[in-house]
PDB file of all heavy atoms in Angstrom:
ATOM      1  N   PHE A 240     -27.388  -1.494   2.827  1.00 98.00           N
ATOM      2  CA  PHE A 240     -28.314  -2.555   3.231  1.00 98.00           C
ATOM      3  C   PHE A 240     -29.291  -2.097   4.314  1.00 98.00           C
ATOM      4  O   PHE A 240     -29.976  -2.921   4.923  1.00 98.00           O
ATOM      5  CB  PHE A 240     -27.566  -3.810   3.685  1.00 98.00           C
ATOM      6  CG  PHE A 240     -27.083  -4.683   2.543  1.00 98.00           C
ATOM      7  CD1 PHE A 240     -26.878  -4.163   1.283  1.00 98.00           C
ATOM      8  CD2 PHE A 240     -26.842  -6.033   2.740  1.00 98.00           C
ATOM      9  CE1 PHE A 240     -26.445  -4.957   0.231  1.00 98.00           C
ATOM     10  CE2 PHE A 240     -26.410  -6.854   1.698  1.00 98.00           C
ATOM     11  CZ  PHE A 240     -26.215  -6.303   0.448  1.00 98.00           C
ATOM     12  N   ASP A 241     -29.353  -0.798   4.588  1.00 97.00           N
ATOM     13  CA  ASP A 241     -30.261  -0.248   5.588  1.00 97.00           C
ATOM     14  C   ASP A 241     -31.542   0.223   4.908  1.00 97.00           C
ATOM     15  O   ASP A 241     -31.554   0.554   3.713  1.00 97.00           O
ATOM     16  CB  ASP A 241     -29.576   0.928   6.297  1.00 97.00           C
ATOM     17  CG  ASP A 241     -30.335   1.385   7.532  1.00 97.00           C
ATOM     18  OD1 ASP A 241     -31.249   2.221   7.385  1.00 97.00           O
ATOM     19  OD2 ASP A 241     -30.010   0.903   8.628  1.00 97.00           O
ATOM     20  N   ALA A 242     -32.615   0.278   5.687  1.00 97.00           N
ATOM     21  CA  ALA A 242     -33.895   0.737   5.142  1.00 97.00           C
ATOM     22  C   ALA A 242     -33.823   2.185   4.684  1.00 97.00           C
ATOM     23  O   ALA A 242     -34.624   2.621   3.849  1.00 97.00           O
ATOM     24  CB  ALA A 242     -34.991   0.561   6.188  1.00 97.00           C
ATOM     25  N   THR A 325     -27.857   2.198  -2.418  1.00 95.00           N
ATOM     26  CA  THR A 325     -28.905   2.719  -3.303  1.00 95.00           C
ATOM     27  C   THR A 325     -30.135   1.821  -3.210  1.00 95.00           C
ATOM     28  O   THR A 325     -30.038   0.633  -2.895  1.00 95.00           O
ATOM     29  CB  THR A 325     -28.423   2.782  -4.768  1.00 95.00           C
ATOM     30  OG1 THR A 325     -27.997   1.484  -5.186  1.00 95.00           O
ATOM     31  CG2 THR A 325     -27.264   3.759  -4.901  1.00 95.00           C
ATOM     32  N   ARG A 326     -31.296   2.403  -3.521  1.00 94.00           N
ATOM     33  CA  ARG A 326     -32.551   1.667  -3.366  1.00 94.00           C
ATOM     34  C   ARG A 326     -32.618   0.452  -4.280  1.00 94.00           C
ATOM     35  O   ARG A 326     -33.151  -0.594  -3.905  1.00 94.00           O
ATOM     36  CB  ARG A 326     -33.738   2.597  -3.648  1.00 94.00           C
ATOM     37  CG  ARG A 326     -33.939   3.673  -2.596  1.00 94.00           C
ATOM     38  CD  ARG A 326     -35.237   4.437  -2.822  1.00 94.00           C
ATOM     39  NE  ARG A 326     -35.495   5.409  -1.763  1.00 94.00           N
ATOM     40  CZ  ARG A 326     -35.127   6.684  -1.813  1.00 94.00           C
ATOM     41  NH1 ARG A 326     -34.488   7.128  -2.878  1.00 94.00           N
ATOM     42  NH2 ARG A 326     -35.380   7.495  -0.816  1.00 94.00           N
ATOM     43  N   VAL A 327     -32.085   0.585  -5.489  1.00 95.00           N
ATOM     44  CA  VAL A 327     -32.129  -0.529  -6.437  1.00 95.00           C
ATOM     45  C   VAL A 327     -30.939  -1.455  -6.245  1.00 95.00           C
ATOM     46  O   VAL A 327     -31.073  -2.684  -6.218  1.00 95.00           O
ATOM     47  CB  VAL A 327     -32.171  -0.002  -7.890  1.00 95.00           C
ATOM     48  CG1 VAL A 327     -32.064  -1.161  -8.878  1.00 95.00           C
ATOM     49  CG2 VAL A 327     -33.449   0.781  -8.134  1.00 95.00           C
ATOM     50  N   ASP A 329     -28.742  -2.181  -3.711  1.00 97.00           N
ATOM     51  CA  ASP A 329     -28.564  -3.043  -2.539  1.00 97.00           C
ATOM     52  C   ASP A 329     -29.394  -4.316  -2.601  1.00 97.00           C
ATOM     53  O   ASP A 329     -28.865  -5.419  -2.391  1.00 97.00           O
ATOM     54  CB  ASP A 329     -28.908  -2.259  -1.266  1.00 97.00           C
ATOM     55  CG  ASP A 329     -27.770  -1.349  -0.810  1.00 97.00           C
ATOM     56  OD1 ASP A 329     -26.765  -1.236  -1.542  1.00 97.00           O
ATOM     57  OD2 ASP A 329     -27.893  -0.744   0.273  1.00 97.00           O
ATOM     58  N   PRO A 330     -30.713  -4.262  -2.864  1.00 97.00           N
ATOM     59  CA  PRO A 330     -31.489  -5.501  -2.928  1.00 97.00           C
ATOM     60  C   PRO A 330     -31.015  -6.454  -4.027  1.00 97.00           C
ATOM     61  O   PRO A 330     -31.018  -7.676  -3.835  1.00 97.00           O
ATOM     62  CB  PRO A 330     -32.919  -5.013  -3.187  1.00 97.00           C
ATOM     63  CG  PRO A 330     -32.943  -3.620  -2.634  1.00 97.00           C
ATOM     64  CD  PRO A 330     -31.593  -3.070  -2.935  1.00 97.00           C
ATOM     65  N   VAL A 331     -30.581  -5.896  -5.158  1.00 97.00           N
ATOM     66  CA  VAL A 331     -30.093  -6.753  -6.242  1.00 97.00           C
ATOM     67  C   VAL A 331     -28.819  -7.469  -5.810  1.00 97.00           C
ATOM     68  O   VAL A 331     -28.661  -8.676  -6.021  1.00 97.00           O
ATOM     69  CB  VAL A 331     -29.853  -5.919  -7.515  1.00 97.00           C
ATOM     70  CG1 VAL A 331     -29.073  -6.732  -8.559  1.00 97.00           C
ATOM     71  CG2 VAL A 331     -31.169  -5.453  -8.107  1.00 97.00           C
ATOM     72  N   GLU A 332     -27.895  -6.753  -5.188  1.00 98.00           N
ATOM     73  CA  GLU A 332     -26.647  -7.381  -4.744  1.00 98.00           C
ATOM     74  C   GLU A 332     -26.926  -8.439  -3.682  1.00 98.00           C
ATOM     75  O   GLU A 332     -26.323  -9.526  -3.704  1.00 98.00           O
ATOM     76  CB  GLU A 332     -25.689  -6.334  -4.206  1.00 98.00           C
ATOM     77  CG  GLU A 332     -24.342  -6.905  -3.771  1.00 98.00           C
ATOM     78  CD  GLU A 332     -23.312  -5.844  -3.405  1.00 98.00           C
ATOM     79  OE1 GLU A 332     -23.669  -4.657  -3.304  1.00 98.00           O
ATOM     80  OE2 GLU A 332     -22.136  -6.223  -3.215  1.00 98.00           O
ATOM     81  N   ALA A 333     -27.827  -8.138  -2.763  1.00 98.00           N
ATOM     82  CA  ALA A 333     -28.166  -9.113  -1.721  1.00 98.00           C
ATOM     83  C   ALA A 333     -28.801 -10.367  -2.319  1.00 98.00           C
ATOM     84  O   ALA A 333     -28.490 -11.492  -1.910  1.00 98.00           O
ATOM     85  CB  ALA A 333     -29.103  -8.472  -0.702  1.00 98.00           C
ATOM     86  N   GLU A 334     -29.688 -10.176  -3.281  1.00 98.00           N
ATOM     87  CA  GLU A 334     -30.329 -11.329  -3.931  1.00 98.00           C
ATOM     88  C   GLU A 334     -29.291 -12.205  -4.629  1.00 98.00           C
ATOM     89  O   GLU A 334     -29.354 -13.441  -4.572  1.00 98.00           O
ATOM     90  CB  GLU A 334     -31.368 -10.842  -4.941  1.00 98.00           C
ATOM     91  CG  GLU A 334     -32.096 -11.969  -5.659  1.00 98.00           C
ATOM     92  CD  GLU A 334     -33.071 -11.465  -6.713  1.00 98.00           C
ATOM     93  OE1 GLU A 334     -33.304 -10.238  -6.786  1.00 98.00           O
ATOM     94  OE2 GLU A 334     -33.587 -12.300  -7.484  1.00 98.00           O
ATOM     95  N   HIS A 391     -31.562  -0.261  10.612  1.00 96.00           N
ATOM     96  CA  HIS A 391     -32.877  -0.789  10.257  1.00 96.00           C
ATOM     97  C   HIS A 391     -32.737  -1.617   8.981  1.00 96.00           C
ATOM     98  O   HIS A 391     -32.556  -1.051   7.894  1.00 96.00           O
ATOM     99  CB  HIS A 391     -33.880   0.345  10.036  1.00 96.00           C
ATOM    100  CG  HIS A 391     -33.869   1.372  11.139  1.00 96.00           C
ATOM    101  ND1 HIS A 391     -34.418   1.133  12.372  1.00 96.00           N
ATOM    102  CD2 HIS A 391     -33.365   2.635  11.177  1.00 96.00           C
ATOM    103  CE1 HIS A 391     -34.257   2.196  13.137  1.00 96.00           C
ATOM    104  NE2 HIS A 391     -33.618   3.121  12.440  1.00 96.00           N
ATOM    105  N   PRO A 392     -32.790  -2.941   9.068  1.00 97.00           N
ATOM    106  CA  PRO A 392     -32.595  -3.777   7.877  1.00 97.00           C
ATOM    107  C   PRO A 392     -33.544  -3.394   6.747  1.00 97.00           C
ATOM    108  O   PRO A 392     -34.737  -3.136   6.972  1.00 97.00           O
ATOM    109  CB  PRO A 392     -32.898  -5.190   8.398  1.00 97.00           C
ATOM    110  CG  PRO A 392     -32.593  -5.112   9.860  1.00 97.00           C
ATOM    111  CD  PRO A 392     -32.993  -3.735  10.284  1.00 97.00           C
ATOM    112  N   ASN A 393     -33.004  -3.337   5.559  1.00 97.00           N
ATOM    113  CA  ASN A 393     -33.794  -2.999   4.380  1.00 97.00           C
ATOM    114  C   ASN A 393     -34.878  -4.059   4.180  1.00 97.00           C
ATOM    115  O   ASN A 393     -34.570  -5.246   4.025  1.00 97.00           O
ATOM    116  CB  ASN A 393     -32.871  -2.955   3.157  1.00 97.00           C
ATOM    117  CG  ASN A 393     -33.545  -2.366   1.935  1.00 97.00           C
ATOM    118  OD1 ASN A 393     -34.744  -2.520   1.734  1.00 97.00           O
ATOM    119  ND2 ASN A 393     -32.772  -1.694   1.101  1.00 97.00           N
ATOM    120  N   PRO A 394     -36.153  -3.669   4.183  1.00 97.00           N
ATOM    121  CA  PRO A 394     -37.221  -4.666   4.047  1.00 97.00           C
ATOM    122  C   PRO A 394     -37.213  -5.376   2.699  1.00 97.00           C
ATOM    123  O   PRO A 394     -37.823  -6.435   2.552  1.00 97.00           O
ATOM    124  CB  PRO A 394     -38.503  -3.840   4.237  1.00 97.00           C
ATOM    125  CG  PRO A 394     -38.108  -2.429   3.922  1.00 97.00           C
ATOM    126  CD  PRO A 394     -36.687  -2.299   4.341  1.00 97.00           C
ATOM    127  N   ALA A 395     -36.512  -4.807   1.716  1.00 97.00           N
ATOM    128  CA  ALA A 395     -36.435  -5.457   0.407  1.00 97.00           C
ATOM    129  C   ALA A 395     -35.356  -6.538   0.362  1.00 97.00           C
ATOM    130  O   ALA A 395     -35.173  -7.177  -0.673  1.00 97.00           O
ATOM    131  CB  ALA A 395     -36.156  -4.405  -0.673  1.00 97.00           C
ATOM    132  N   ILE A 396     -34.644  -6.737   1.466  1.00 98.00           N
ATOM    133  CA  ILE A 396     -33.590  -7.753   1.527  1.00 98.00           C
ATOM    134  C   ILE A 396     -34.021  -8.845   2.501  1.00 98.00           C
ATOM    135  O   ILE A 396     -34.268  -8.576   3.679  1.00 98.00           O
ATOM    136  CB  ILE A 396     -32.250  -7.134   1.983  1.00 98.00           C
ATOM    137  CG1 ILE A 396     -31.773  -6.081   0.958  1.00 98.00           C
ATOM    138  CG2 ILE A 396     -31.189  -8.216   2.165  1.00 98.00           C
ATOM    139  CD1 ILE A 396     -30.511  -5.346   1.378  1.00 98.00           C
ATOM    140  N   ALA A 397     -34.100 -10.074   2.009  1.00 97.00           N
ATOM    141  CA  ALA A 397     -34.498 -11.220   2.843  1.00 97.00           C
ATOM    142  C   ALA A 397     -33.251 -11.780   3.539  1.00 97.00           C
ATOM    143  O   ALA A 397     -32.688 -12.800   3.126  1.00 97.00           O
ATOM    144  CB  ALA A 397     -35.184 -12.276   1.991  1.00 97.00           C
ATOM    145  N   PHE A 398     -32.821 -11.117   4.598  1.00 97.00           N
ATOM    146  CA  PHE A 398     -31.560 -11.467   5.242  1.00 97.00           C
ATOM    147  C   PHE A 398     -31.524 -12.925   5.683  1.00 97.00           C
ATOM    148  O   PHE A 398     -30.539 -13.638   5.456  1.00 97.00           O
ATOM    149  CB  PHE A 398     -31.302 -10.541   6.442  1.00 97.00           C
ATOM    150  CG  PHE A 398     -30.898  -9.146   6.060  1.00 97.00           C
ATOM    151  CD1 PHE A 398     -31.845  -8.135   5.942  1.00 97.00           C
ATOM    152  CD2 PHE A 398     -29.574  -8.843   5.821  1.00 97.00           C
ATOM    153  CE1 PHE A 398     -31.481  -6.851   5.589  1.00 97.00           C
ATOM    154  CE2 PHE A 398     -29.193  -7.565   5.469  1.00 97.00           C
ATOM    155  CZ  PHE A 398     -30.149  -6.561   5.350  1.00 97.00           C
ATOM    156  N   TRP A 401     -31.719 -15.448   2.675  1.00 97.00           N
ATOM    157  CA  TRP A 401     -30.519 -15.404   1.830  1.00 97.00           C
ATOM    158  C   TRP A 401     -29.240 -15.641   2.614  1.00 97.00           C
ATOM    159  O   TRP A 401     -28.142 -15.611   2.052  1.00 97.00           O
ATOM    160  CB  TRP A 401     -30.452 -14.066   1.097  1.00 97.00           C
ATOM    161  CG  TRP A 401     -31.548 -13.898   0.084  1.00 97.00           C
ATOM    162  CD1 TRP A 401     -32.301 -14.887  -0.480  1.00 97.00           C
ATOM    163  CD2 TRP A 401     -32.042 -12.672  -0.474  1.00 97.00           C
ATOM    164  NE1 TRP A 401     -33.224 -14.362  -1.362  1.00 97.00           N
ATOM    165  CE2 TRP A 401     -33.082 -13.000  -1.370  1.00 97.00           C
ATOM    166  CE3 TRP A 401     -31.710 -11.334  -0.288  1.00 97.00           C
ATOM    167  CZ2 TRP A 401     -33.781 -12.036  -2.102  1.00 97.00           C
ATOM    168  CZ3 TRP A 401     -32.408 -10.368  -1.019  1.00 97.00           C
ATOM    169  CH2 TRP A 401     -33.431 -10.709  -1.915  1.00 97.00           C
TER     170      TRP A 401
END
Side-chain angles (χ1 to χ4, degrees):
F240 279 23
D241 191 273
T325 57
R326 291 188 176 93
V327 174
D329 280 6
V331 168
E332 182 172 10
E334 181 183 352
H391 312 286
N393 191 327
I396 297 176
F398 286 94
W401 293 341

